[in-house]
Amino acid sequence: MTILYRYANYKEPDTSASTDLSEYADMGNITNWALAAMKWAVEAGIIQGRTPTTIVPQGTSTRAEIATIFKRYIEDFLGEAD
């Protein structure tokens, strides 16, 4: 998320969106340097968690999960669709 967050800042869309991540039981596993990026990504709908109560910030993402993240970013922030 931090790479995409930094890229979004570079491209200049508004990345000020932020949300409370306390609904995720494992939010304490998000490192401080990645917290702003995770809050932005959840609020923007780019990531939604693996389950309704876990976000698995230290986990390994599958190829399908990464593809979904990029697809959401491209559609929502760059205005491009399939």
Side-chain angles (χ1 to χ4, degrees):
M1 278 300 83
T2 57
I3 293 170
L4 189 57
Y5 178 69
R6 290 175 185 154
Y7 177 76
N9 280 318
Y10 169 76
K11 293 300 282 182
E12 299 183 42
D14 182 11
T15 57
S16 64
S18 183
T19 192
D20 176 23
L21 299 176
S22 62
E23 68 184 80
Y24 297 106
D26 56 356
M27 80 157 283
N29 295 333
I30 302 170
T31 56
N32 287 336
W33 55 266
L35 191 56
M38 291 295 283
K39 287 181 175 183
W40 166 75
V42 171
E43 179 64 23
I46 295 170
I47 59 173
Q48 299 170 351
R50 289 242 173 103
T51 72
T53 60
T54 61
I55 201 161
V56 193
Q58 300 294 323
T60 302
S61 299
T62 67
R63 183 172 44 130
E65 288 169 331
I66 297 298
T68 299
I69 287 167
F70 282 128
K71 182 177 187 292
R72 289 177 184 155
Y73 176 78
I74 290 167
E75 290 177 353
D76 295 345
F77 287 90
L78 302 180
E80 299 175 20
D82 296 330

